[in-house]
Amino acid sequence: MPLKTIRTKADLAIHGAPPAFTEPLHVGRPNIGSREAFLRRVDQILDNQWLTNNGPMVQEFERRIAQYLGVKHCVAMCNGTIALEIAVRALGLKGEVIVPSWTFVATAHALHWQGIAPVFADIDPATHNLDPEAVRRMITPRTTGIIGVHLWGRAAPVDELQAIADEHGLKLMFDAAHAFGSTYKGQSIGRFGACEVLSFHATKAFNTMEGGAVVTDDKKLADAMRLMRNFGFKGYDNVIHPGTNGKMIEVCAAMGLSNLDMLDDVFAGNHHNHAIYKAALGDLPGIRILDYVANERNSHHYIVAEVGEYSAATRDEIVAALHAENVLARKYFWPGCHKMKPYRDLFPHAGAMLRSTESLAAKIVVLPNGKWVGDAAIHSICDIFSVLANP
Ligand code: T4K
């Protein structure tokens, strides 16, 4: 519960008032389902004495995820980043792969880590997702693939990217780390491109503590990834493929199975919170709350505010003021991958092709959401925002 009412700038902690919250309000607080159900499963794991290596809990988790998404194969992994790396390798990507710079750095790292150049294409500022025309501009004879990202769980331009991939003989896969439970044209995300990669990190709408998966309808691809996530073993003592350790452990699968049962509640709670934020902030000068497509399903997990030039305070001033109140809003994904050291060193002039990315990166703030944030806290966060954004 907030500790004070905020009506004017004098009520703000940056002006000497006490902070609105005693405890930090985080953006990525995990959604945790039934403790009893989880602990029952953990007991079962201990009784089984089977902790990892494709155990029964992981197999059940894979079946439930595949069924939920309507895909043929789910290959569960230890996290989304390793899942991206394994998918990239299983698809045989090499040379250059086109990705947005406006994403979490793991999308680019999964390529760079394997000696593949991530080539950054610009986004459409209205959707925050890849601009298909910008993707076309970045294709060279070395390009082998495209990784679309469904940022904030909002679908990338799937059909347009598939058309480009088909036209140029490129592989297309998706980083769907934010998009578990989202739809595109009424169909579950997870069913597009050659494969899609999910993250079940603690901070995601649906979590397995740490975890990820690749989902696909392609059996050959799924089989290859199953080998790769387990050192390339086919049976005892028989290694038939290069591989790594990408396995999900049983406790993570248990967490996932328990959390799956409360998914609808989490999504509904997020939707409710998003509506409050939108109603309170949507009409402020220079402020835009990123919307979700009305007739598509979405977890509404990310409350993304853009602070434009008509706001009386800049994005950085607003973030500083929120932090002073103990609201730990985040500037995801500032400054864009291309401006982070490994990629800045590789491509010092990338910004010339990334005008929308750079402009957006200066405007974004992501606000707390999740079933643990109450209406009173959200109203208080919105009051802080209003006092700052209004002249
Ligand atoms: N692709 C995309 C597009 C992604 O966004 C991500 C991950 C990936 C790929 C890779 O998937 P994974 O390999 O992670 O499965 C966080 C997450 O670590 C990361 O999973 C996520 N994206 C990214 C958007 O956010 P940080 O560095 O911001 O995390 P951190 O530790 O600052 O936590 C965020 C907030 O959550 C904090 O305010 C504290 C709170 N928190 C965090 C944890 C871990 C909790 O309250 N409890 C917790 O247990 O990256």
Side-chain angles (χ1 to χ4, degrees):
M1 281 293 283
L3 296 174
K4 64 180 179 187
T5 310
I6 297 150
R7 300 251 179 274
T8 70
K9 290 192 170 56
D11 298 323
L12 296 176
I14 47 164
H15 296 304
F21 300 94
T22 43
E23 296 293 323
L25 247 81
H26 292 287
V27 163
R29 264 284 123 98
N31 295 309
I32 299 172
S34 159
R35 251 170 223 242
E36 294 69 32
F38 170 64
L39 293 174
R40 256 196 319 274
R41 286 189 169 100
V42 172
D43 270 339
Q44 231 175 304
I45 292 167
L46 299 178
D47 289 345
N48 277 346
Q49 292 187 293
W50 197 276
L51 308 184
T52 182
N53 289 20
N54 202 28
M57 220 48 94
V58 164
Q59 290 181 31
E60 184 186 345
F61 178 74
E62 289 183 336
R63 277 194 301 275
R64 291 273 306 272
I65 296 292
Q67 193 181 31
Y68 182 84
L69 298 177
V71 289
K72 290 195 179 130
H73 309 280
C74 168
V75 186
M77 309 265 184
C78 54
N79 60 55
T81 305
I82 294 288
L84 276 169
E85 287 175 17
I86 288 180
V88 160
R89 201 170 269 263
L91 282 176
L93 300 183
K94 51 189 193 304
E96 296 175 0
V97 172
I98 299 173
V99 289
S101 167
W102 188 237
T103 177
F104 188 59
V105 73
T107 320
H109 277 353
L111 295 164
H112 187 33
W113 193 249
Q114 307 192 71
I116 301 166
V119 171
F120 298 117
D122 211 359
I123 48 160
D124 174 345
T127 65
H128 294 200
N129 276 320
L130 274 175
D131 168 3
E133 288 314 307
V135 170
R136 281 184 192 281
R137 283 195 288 277
M138 306 315 283
I139 295 173
T140 75
R142 296 191 69 229
T143 310
T144 59
I146 303 168
I147 303 181
V149 179
H150 305 296
L151 206 78
W152 318 126
R154 301 167 88 261
V158 170
D159 290 344
E160 291 84 345
L161 293 178
Q162 190 63 63
I164 294 171
D166 292 345
E167 203 179 306
H168 292 270
L170 305 174
K171 300 268 173 61
L172 174 65
M173 60 176 267
F174 289 97
D175 177 340
H178 297 180
F180 185 71
S182 296
T183 58
Y184 171 72
K185 297 191 175 169
Q187 296 211 48
S188 283
I189 281 179
R191 309 181 62 181
F192 301 105
C195 62
E196 302 214 49
V197 176
L198 303 163
S199 163
F200 309 128
H201 183 256
T203 54
K204 298 291 186 289
F206 165 68
N207 84 84
T208 62
M209 301 189 180
E210 284 275 4
V214 188
V215 286
T216 180
D217 281 340
D218 181 339
K219 180 170 186 316
K220 226 170 121 199
L221 192 65
D223 287 347
M225 291 188 293
R226 284 186 192 285
L227 280 175
M228 288 182 189
R229 80 170 170 185
N230 188 31
F231 314 101
F233 273 110
K234 183 163 197 259
Y236 288 134
D237 309 324
N238 184 26
V239 174
I240 61 163
H241 203 284
T244 183
N245 184 352
K247 289 166 284 155
M248 176 179 272
I249 63 171
E250 290 287 273
V251 169
C252 289
M255 182 73 166
L257 288 167
S258 313
N259 286 347
L260 261 184
D261 292 336
M262 59 137 190
L263 211 56
D264 289 344
D265 287 349
V266 170
F267 286 14
N270 285 345
H271 198 166
H272 167 85
N273 293 347
H274 183 269
I276 302 181
Y277 275 115
K278 206 178 133 197
L281 300 180
D283 292 332
L284 289 179
I287 306 297
R288 173 190 178 217
I289 298 295
L290 193 71
D291 225 334
Y292 290 95
V293 180
N295 53 354
E296 301 285 6
R297 193 161 190 261
N298 196 294
S299 69
H300 288 74
H301 183 59
Y302 295 97
I303 309 291
V304 183
E306 283 179 35
V307 181
E309 56 179 316
Y310 296 111
S311 163
T314 64
R315 186 275 308 270
D316 287 351
E317 287 165 347
I318 290 177
V319 170
L322 288 169
H323 282 216
E325 305 290 353
N326 248 333
V327 178
L328 301 187
R330 299 292 294 264
K331 299 195 269 187
Y332 291 138
F333 291 102
W334 182 84
C337 296
H338 71 287
K339 286 202 156 173
M340 292 178 171
K341 188 175 179 333
Y343 304 106
R344 203 170 64 222
D345 288 352
L346 276 177
F347 314 114
H349 306 298
M353 301 295 276
L354 298 168
R355 294 297 185 220
S356 297
T357 300
E358 294 204 340
S359 153
L360 197 65
K363 293 183 187 164
I364 294 298
V365 48
V366 177
L367 299 168
N369 196 13
K371 68 177 190 139
W372 52 273
V373 194
D375 291 8
I378 295 176
H379 283 297
S380 181
I381 295 168
C382 292
D383 289 344
I384 300 164
F385 228 100
S386 305
V387 160
L388 291 159
N390 274 312

